[in-house]
Amino acid sequence: LKGMKSSGIKKEFSKTNDVLKELIGKKAPVVRTPYGSTDKKVLKSVKYPVILWSIDSRDWETRNIMNTVKDGDIILMHDLYEETADAVEVIVPRLLNQGYQLVTVSEMMEAKGIKLKPGHTYFNGRR
């Protein structure tokens, strides 16, 4: 995205939201830029809160996140690796046993009293 003109960035997100609207009946309340690639031009063009992550699970390497996860973390995982599904089967029960709740980013931010603002980047649910 960083190499694109503002009009191209807007078009990409507009097309995506058109598909979401058609499939699920509503547009995305937040976005994650591809590869987390973002700069001032991208943030100004997107006009949504941009959600990135505080922990990169590096799920293709089956790295264990349990030693680093904290309340409010956003964990990056991918749906194209078999290792991710294997890791989720281990990580989710452990997180739940430790008292964590798994929620959407929007739900977490609301619970934490963080008002998401368009054109801002968020890496976690901590102030």
Side-chain angles (χ1 to χ4, degrees):
L1 292 176
K2 290 197 284 188
M4 297 174 71
K5 292 181 180 180
S6 182
S7 60
I9 296 168
K10 290 176 185 176
K11 186 176 181 179
E12 287 296 315
F13 282 93
S14 178
K15 287 189 318 188
T16 299
N17 265 324
D18 289 346
V19 171
L20 287 172
K21 181 90 169 147
E22 184 178 318
L23 293 174
I24 63 172
K26 58 185 177 177
K27 296 180 179 182
V30 298
V31 299
R32 180 182 73 84
T33 52
Y35 309 105
S37 178
T38 225
D39 61 13
K40 288 180 183 180
K41 178 181 66 175
V42 171
L43 291 174
K44 187 176 179 182
S45 301
V46 171
K47 302 209 187 291
Y48 288 91
V50 174
I51 308 301
L52 296 181
W53 54 88
S54 51
I55 296 179
D56 182 351
S57 68
R58 299 180 65 90
D59 42 11
W60 63 92
E61 294 180 356
T62 63
R63 181 175 153 230
N64 186 345
I65 64 157
M66 295 307 297
N67 297 327
T68 58
V69 69
K70 298 181 291 296
D71 181 44
D73 277 331
I74 298 171
I75 303 168
L76 175 67
M77 300 186 95
H78 302 84
D79 62 358
L80 62 138
Y81 301 111
E82 187 176 323
E83 294 86 359
T84 302
D86 295 339
V88 165
E89 288 181 11
V90 173
I91 292 168
V92 168
R94 287 184 184 175
L95 289 171
L96 294 174
N97 284 337
Q98 289 183 14
Y100 287 98
Q101 290 179 306
L102 304 181
V103 297
T104 67
V105 169
S106 297
E107 290 169 334
M108 177 175 63
M109 297 303 196
E110 184 177 336
K112 301 277 186 186
I114 299 170
K115 184 171 170 69
L116 296 174
K117 300 175 188 170
H120 288 78
T121 305
Y122 299 87
F123 296 91
N124 58 56
R126 294 186 286 277
R127 292 190 183 266

